[in-house]
Amino acid sequence: MSRYRNFVLFLALAAVWGTAFVAIGAGLEYFPPVLFAAIRYDIAGVIMLAYAAYAVGDVLPRGRDQWLLVTIGSVFLIAAYHAFLFVGQQHTTAAAAAIVVSLSPVLTTGFARQLVPSDALSTVGIVGVGFGLLGVIVIAQPDPNDLLATNAVATLLVFLAAASFAFGSVLTRRIEGTMPIETMEAWSMLGGAFLMHLLSLGLREPIEPSTWLEAEALFALGYLALVASAFGFLVYFDLLERLGAVEINMVSYVAPVFAAIFGWLWLGEVIDVATVFGFALIAFGFVLVKRRALREEFGHIRSLARS
């Protein structure tokens, strides 16, 4: 029964996070990108802080290391990731963005191995990272004569979003201090939202609240803040404890399927062959980089099935 529960929650998380890319695309018709991301995490951060207070009790970060964890989370995991993603997704499809973001687990492994010299990537691992990067290039389809074409720049921005998240994830692992992940996420969301508000002001994004009251705009914002962020992270925390990091990483490779389906249904987006091929390259790169962990995980699953 527990495995059925985990499977249902896994699919639910993939669906929620995959359709989040579609909601971003819909909301960008009404909100300026960075401000849109900031408002999303204003709401999600308050909800997550309330949940952390309920689940953990004392929600205030203590000491230098805990505040450093929150700072890294605010800067890289929330502000940089979402600013790059929302700006980039103005000129790319929801599915393409989801696929490029699915490179994040590969980049995380690459950054981790480089920042810890004693744990360098093997030759096969380096090849895996190369396949992942090749997949991004295939999706971007850059024109050598016009490398600043809109679609290529948009894909590059989404790639920078994935790289920011991966880099931030590795940095948090290198900090000696520990704190409940719910507390870290809550304060990172609020800190990241504050930074994105500052960035939005610096970019002089237009503020037109009248467009924000459109039904589709409110639905997109509510879906991202309440369902994709608040509900999505609660499910993620639950599955992380039950399944472990390897299996939960696979959400990144199921989410683009939901992004493609709902992008077509909601936004009328069409997925081309190059995007599908790019996804295959990224997924293959993930298998190469994570081959040992995947082999151990599948062995564990087989042993459970026999028992």
Side-chain angles (χ1 to χ4, degrees):
M1 193 68 176
S2 175
R3 295 196 67 81
Y4 285 118
R5 176 184 181 277
N6 291 343
F7 179 70
V8 170
L9 287 177
F10 180 91
L11 283 182
L13 182 60
V16 164
W17 280 0
T19 51
F21 290 93
V22 183
I24 292 171
L28 287 172
E29 296 293 326
Y30 306 93
F31 296 90
V34 180
L35 182 60
F36 185 23
I39 296 174
R40 168 189 179 177
Y41 279 102
D42 287 333
I43 301 170
V46 170
I47 294 172
M48 186 58 68
L49 189 62
Y51 175 76
Y54 164 77
V56 179
D58 185 4
V59 296
L60 287 177
R62 307 289 182 182
R64 173 182 171 275
D65 286 340
Q66 289 194 357
W67 279 110
L68 187 56
L69 284 171
V70 169
T71 300
I72 292 171
S74 299
V75 173
F76 293 102
L77 303 183
I78 302 297
Y81 171 69
H82 290 90
F84 281 130
L85 175 62
F86 277 53
V87 174
Q89 206 178 317
Q90 291 179 108
H91 302 290
T92 188
T93 66
I99 289 169
V100 175
V101 167
S102 73
L103 181 63
S104 186
V106 179
L107 293 174
T108 299
T109 302
F111 281 132
R113 301 303 173 106
Q114 292 304 314
L115 292 175
V116 183
S118 61
D119 196 18
L121 274 174
S122 66
T123 302
V124 176
I126 293 173
V127 172
V129 173
F131 269 104
L133 296 176
L134 180 60
V136 174
I137 294 172
V138 169
I139 293 170
Q141 301 181 54
D143 180 355
N145 298 317
D146 187 10
L147 293 178
L148 296 180
T150 301
N151 65 319
V153 172
T155 304
L156 174 62
L157 290 173
V158 177
F159 171 77
L160 291 176
S164 298
F165 193 90
F167 185 67
S169 298
V170 172
L171 287 182
T172 60
R173 296 177 190 175
R174 289 172 58 85
I175 305 301
E176 293 184 1
T178 58
M179 64 190 303
I181 193 168
E182 296 90 345
T183 303
M184 178 191 164
E185 287 287 350
W187 285 106
S188 295
M189 287 178 178
L190 293 172
F194 175 72
L195 292 175
M196 287 188 287
H197 277 295
L198 293 180
L199 179 59
S200 177
L201 289 173
L203 294 173
R204 298 183 179 180
E205 289 187 325
I207 299 178
E208 300 177 6
S210 59
T211 65
W212 305 352
L213 300 179
E214 296 285 344
E216 188 176 43
L218 291 174
F219 178 80
L221 178 60
Y223 186 85
L224 289 170
L226 302 176
V227 181
S229 297
F231 172 76
F233 275 108
L234 292 180
V235 174
Y236 173 82
F237 296 146
D238 181 66
L239 289 178
L240 183 62
E241 292 182 2
R242 294 172 180 273
L243 303 180
V246 175
E247 283 194 54
I248 200 64
N249 268 342
M250 297 306 293
V251 167
S252 299
Y253 296 90
V254 181
V257 176
F258 289 95
I261 293 172
F262 284 90
W264 173 63
L265 291 173
W266 188 354
L267 305 177
E269 296 177 342
V270 178
I271 306 304
D272 58 18
V273 175
T275 301
V276 175
F277 183 53
F279 173 64
L281 290 172
I282 292 173
F284 183 64
F286 173 83
V287 171
L288 290 180
V289 171
K290 295 284 190 179
R291 65 195 183 283
R292 293 190 182 92
L294 288 171
R295 189 183 304 119
E296 292 175 3
E297 186 62 36
F298 288 137
H300 176 64
I301 293 174
R302 282 197 299 269
S303 65
L304 288 176
R306 292 169 183 167
S307 61

